[in-house]
Amino acid sequence: MEARTHLQLGSVLYHHTRNGDQARGHLEKAWLISQQIPQFEDVKFEAASLLSELYCQENSVDTAKPLLLCKAIQISQQTPYWHCRLLFQLAQLHTLEKDLVSACDLLGVGAEYARVVGSEYTRALFLLSKGMLLLMERKLQEVHPLLTLCGQIVENWQGNPIQKESLRVFFLVLQVTHYLDAGQVKSVKPCLKQLQQCIQTISTLHDDEILPSNPADLFHWLPKEHMCVLVYLVTVMHSMQAGYLEKAQKYTDKALMQLEKLKMLDCSPILSSFQVILLEHIIMCRLVTGHKATALQEISQVCQLCQQSPRLFSNHAAQLHTLLGLYCISVNCMDNAEAQFTTALRLTTHQELWAFIVTNLASVYIREGNRHQELYSLLERINPDHNFPVSSHCLRAAAFYIRGLFSFFQGRYNEAKRFLRETLKMSNAEDLNRLTACSLVLLGHIFYVLGNHRESNNMVVPAMQLASKIPDMSVQLWSSALLRDLNKACGNAMDAHEAAQMHQNFSQQLLQDHIEACSLPEHNLITWTDGPPPVQFQAQNGPTTSLASLL
């Protein structure tokens, strides 16, 4: 009884007070005493689990791993639930330390143990978790067979309907993110549709109170409400990549409203991660649609969320500086854009993000016009014709576009056309609407310069239609200017006047937004390139977001 009392006291102190020393004292006693008493598994392993969490919070990871969790795993093999739970916990600890190889090994051990004790459900959870880490590591050769096996296990497992559907959601989320990482926006659609149907099915099912007969099955991947937000999130990611920006906005608003409700009742760190990723995507949408001031306030909101969690900041610092770099381009602060992208490159080890940053930094050098040496060096590192550093279809298409843009500025028009036709071929194959619009308008500009007005018109008109559908303000501005000049050159006075009026309207909107953004206190964030986000640059009453206007 003494061990149980210490466990209860330690648990209450750990969960409901800030008194870590006393909590640790009670939990250490519970762990020591319970090891000397046979059949005291629940007390023993719960004490080990809580104590390990506490050590990690106090940055004593070396104590948590070998001395505690490894020993607890070793002696828990006859207790399937605790053995699996402790394996998951140690794998999570390795993941937080960025030791994904050890984490994957442990999850493999867990999957085999679950198979031996007859739990196909928990075996699937271990394998899907391993698949998630392999995707993070970009070990795509290992991911494919693993996901195929997971798909078979999930379909064949006959158990609690909510557990089965949650496994299916986990499996489909991995498939969808795998496609999106590869920039395959069109190919992902069937999977995404299945995922959306799956989450609808889950929301109609009631949680059964009947406990599984196999104790190793007593796990949940995520609560239903968290899964719902996650499905909104991957839908936003898809809409953003495909260039359906109004759709991305709609799903972001829905997800953020749900997150606000959940965060009132639940302080789970995953909710803040979801919120930051959603904001990162919607900020990019705002910059494209000509809402720079709102984007800047949302960047400030991401800064505030990251200030509350050092782990969140270390995971998202590179993305934050990348967003600031994109904002700087939109307000024509090219020196600051370069500084932000250079900082982001220093902070990231993620290959796709690295390629995205380099592509945007190359666009900054092209606009500056006098950075040829740096530009050639960058373009060599993202050469889409050979040895492209990442497997993303979308990023490779963007690299062709950047080369086309550079060739255009250098007056090498035939070379520019070759690169842009390659971009068009790739972007059409995967419905990358924004790249298609950008390539069409640039090709239209090239044909205009070469005096081929008919061909130019054939490019600019569909570019304008597509840009209006996205809607992409800068491409609309560019297209309307070209249509004005084209119609003037062809003697179509009325059409030229109409295009000039459109161009004037877009210019006014962008200028007004530009002035509003640059006058915000958050605009000073463009000078921040080191350390945690500066508090003093943020508005005192907090940023207004799309969510605030809905509440």
Side-chain angles (χ1 to χ4, degrees):
M1 283 305 290
E2 189 188 349
R4 193 177 296 281
T5 305
H6 281 300
L7 172 63
Q8 287 166 342
L9 285 168
S11 180
V12 168
L13 288 164
Y14 173 61
H15 287 116
H16 303 291
T17 74
R18 294 179 182 275
N19 200 332
D21 289 347
Q22 279 195 14
R24 188 174 63 249
H26 284 294
L27 291 171
E28 282 173 345
K29 282 175 186 166
W31 165 240
L32 286 169
I33 296 166
S34 61
Q35 284 180 76
Q36 295 151 22
I37 308 167
Q39 280 82 48
F40 235 50
E41 271 77 5
D42 277 2
V43 173
K44 189 186 310 175
F45 300 127
E46 190 172 346
S49 178
L50 285 174
L51 197 49
S52 170
E53 280 182 32
L54 188 61
Y55 284 148
C56 290
Q57 280 184 8
E58 294 174 346
N59 293 320
S60 306
V61 175
D62 291 340
T63 311
K65 272 198 306 193
L67 300 181
L68 191 62
L69 277 179
C70 290
K71 185 174 182 187
I73 286 166
Q74 204 179 342
I75 60 176
S76 64
Q77 294 198 28
Q78 304 309 310
T79 318
Y81 166 74
W82 279 108
H83 191 64
C84 291
R85 182 166 155 179
L86 293 163
L87 282 168
F88 274 127
Q89 193 170 342
L90 185 53
Q92 186 179 24
L93 195 51
H94 283 307
T95 305
L96 292 174
E97 290 196 299
K98 307 273 193 292
D99 181 2
L100 299 188
V101 174
S102 300
C104 280
D105 288 346
L106 266 178
L107 292 167
V109 168
E112 181 53 25
Y113 176 82
R115 188 190 67 78
V116 169
V117 297
S119 172
E120 285 296 283
Y121 167 75
T122 301
R123 181 188 176 204
L125 276 183
F126 273 114
L127 289 173
L128 287 164
S129 302
K130 184 177 178 180
M132 182 170 69
L133 297 189
L134 290 172
L135 279 175
M136 285 165 67
E137 278 195 285
R138 298 290 176 270
K139 290 192 172 172
L140 303 183
Q141 300 300 316
E142 294 177 50
V143 168
H144 295 301
L146 186 70
L147 284 183
T148 305
L149 173 62
C150 289
Q152 291 164 356
I153 295 171
V154 172
E155 287 314 306
N156 295 334
W157 187 70
Q158 301 301 318
N160 179 314
I162 283 208
Q163 284 184 307
K164 186 177 176 77
E165 289 302 314
S166 74
L167 282 182
R168 194 176 275 142
V169 169
F170 195 171
F171 171 68
L172 287 167
V173 163
L174 292 187
Q175 281 209 310
V176 168
T177 48
H178 184 25
Y179 276 118
L180 292 178
D181 270 354
Q184 294 174 325
V185 172
K186 191 176 182 179
S187 312
V188 77
K189 283 182 180 176
C191 274
L192 185 59
K193 200 170 180 184
Q194 271 184 283
L195 178 59
Q196 289 161 342
Q197 287 166 345
C198 204
I199 201 71
Q200 285 177 336
T201 305
I202 283 189
S203 57
T204 62
L205 293 171
H206 296 291
D207 289 317
D208 288 334
E209 294 302 318
I210 307 158
L211 289 176
S213 54
N214 189 335
D217 283 349
L218 284 165
F219 292 96
H220 271 301
W221 174 50
L222 280 177
K224 270 198 296 192
E225 298 77 14
H226 291 200
M227 279 191 261
C228 212
V229 175
L230 183 57
V231 174
Y232 279 139
L233 174 55
V234 294
T235 306
V236 168
M237 289 164 78
H238 175 261
S239 303
M240 175 70 212
Q241 269 199 41
Y244 305 127
L245 301 194
E246 286 178 342
K247 195 174 171 187
Q249 171 73 64
K250 184 180 85 173
Y251 283 113
T252 300
D253 287 340
K254 285 185 173 184
L256 288 174
M257 282 173 73
Q258 193 149 345
L259 271 171
E260 286 298 317
K261 288 177 192 165
L262 287 173
K263 284 181 90 172
M264 289 174 191
L265 309 164
D266 183 348
C267 57
S268 171
I270 198 169
L271 296 179
S272 294
S273 294
F274 286 164
Q275 193 175 356
V276 166
I277 298 166
L278 278 162
L279 286 168
E280 285 169 355
H281 281 80
I282 204 61
I283 288 160
M284 288 190 280
C285 289
R286 305 261 195 238
L287 293 172
V288 172
T289 56
H291 297 97
K292 297 185 275 288
T294 311
L296 186 55
Q297 290 170 318
E298 285 167 341
I299 289 172
S300 173
Q301 195 180 351
V302 175
C303 287
Q304 288 175 7
L305 285 163
C306 286
Q307 278 167 357
Q308 294 160 22
S309 162
R311 185 176 293 150
L312 203 57
F313 178 62
S314 73
N315 288 340
H316 290 269
Q319 289 91 318
L320 201 41
H321 286 288
T322 303
L323 291 170
L324 279 167
L326 295 173
Y327 167 76
C328 291
I329 291 177
S330 76
V331 290
N332 212 27
C333 297
M334 293 303 162
D335 287 348
N336 297 103
E338 182 185 350
Q340 291 297 338
F341 289 138
T342 307
T343 303
L345 286 173
R346 192 180 74 237
L347 293 170
T348 192
T349 54
H350 189 282
Q351 277 193 304
E352 271 77 4
L353 181 58
W354 177 88
F356 179 77
I357 297 164
V358 167
T359 306
N360 281 287
L361 183 56
S363 81
V364 171
Y365 290 154
I366 289 170
R367 287 172 199 226
E368 289 184 319
N370 57 352
R371 305 294 294 277
H372 294 315
Q373 207 48 51
E374 294 98 323
L375 185 54
Y376 283 122
S377 164
L378 279 187
L379 291 177
E380 264 313 297
R381 297 168 80 185
I382 50 162
N383 188 338
D385 281 322
H386 59 85
N387 297 332
F388 193 64
V390 293
S391 60
S392 171
H393 181 93
C394 183
L395 285 170
R396 190 161 168 261
F400 274 117
Y401 174 76
I402 286 294
R403 286 186 166 256
L405 189 67
F406 182 44
S407 300
F408 166 72
F409 273 103
Q410 291 207 310
R412 300 201 306 267
Y413 298 128
N414 284 335
E415 188 180 271
K417 283 191 280 185
R418 180 182 83 77
F419 286 130
L420 292 169
R421 284 183 177 129
E422 201 59 46
T423 305
L424 274 177
K425 192 168 77 180
M426 292 185 75
S427 56
N428 283 332
E430 284 292 346
D431 288 350
L432 305 170
N433 290 326
R434 199 163 165 251
L435 266 178
T436 301
C438 290
S439 303
L440 284 171
V441 74
L442 183 48
L443 274 168
H445 203 132
I446 290 167
F447 284 118
Y448 176 74
V449 171
L450 293 172
N452 189 340
H453 295 161
R454 189 174 163 194
E455 197 60 42
S456 177
N457 197 64
N458 289 344
M459 299 290 156
V460 179
V461 170
M464 185 62 162
Q465 289 167 343
L466 196 51
S468 308
K469 201 171 98 180
I470 290 171
D472 185 322
M473 282 294 278
S474 55
V475 174
Q476 284 176 292
L477 184 74
W478 190 357
S479 302
S480 57
L482 271 171
L483 283 171
R484 178 197 61 203
D485 297 346
L486 268 170
N487 284 305
K488 211 181 274 183
C490 297
N492 304 329
M494 277 183 68
D495 290 342
H497 177 73
E498 193 184 318
Q501 194 57 54
M502 278 167 57
H503 184 71
Q504 173 85 10
N505 293 343
F506 292 133
S507 296
Q508 283 302 111
Q509 277 176 264
L510 283 165
L511 181 62
Q512 210 173 335
D513 183 48
H514 182 107
I515 293 165
E516 189 188 340
C518 293
S519 65
L520 288 169
E522 294 94 335
H523 180 74
N524 290 310
L525 281 166
I526 68 172
T527 62
W528 161 60
T529 54
D530 198 33
V535 183
Q536 69 270 26
F537 288 159
Q538 289 156 32
Q540 296 309 302
N541 57 355
T544 54
T545 66
S546 58
L547 175 65
S549 62
L550 292 169
L551 293 177

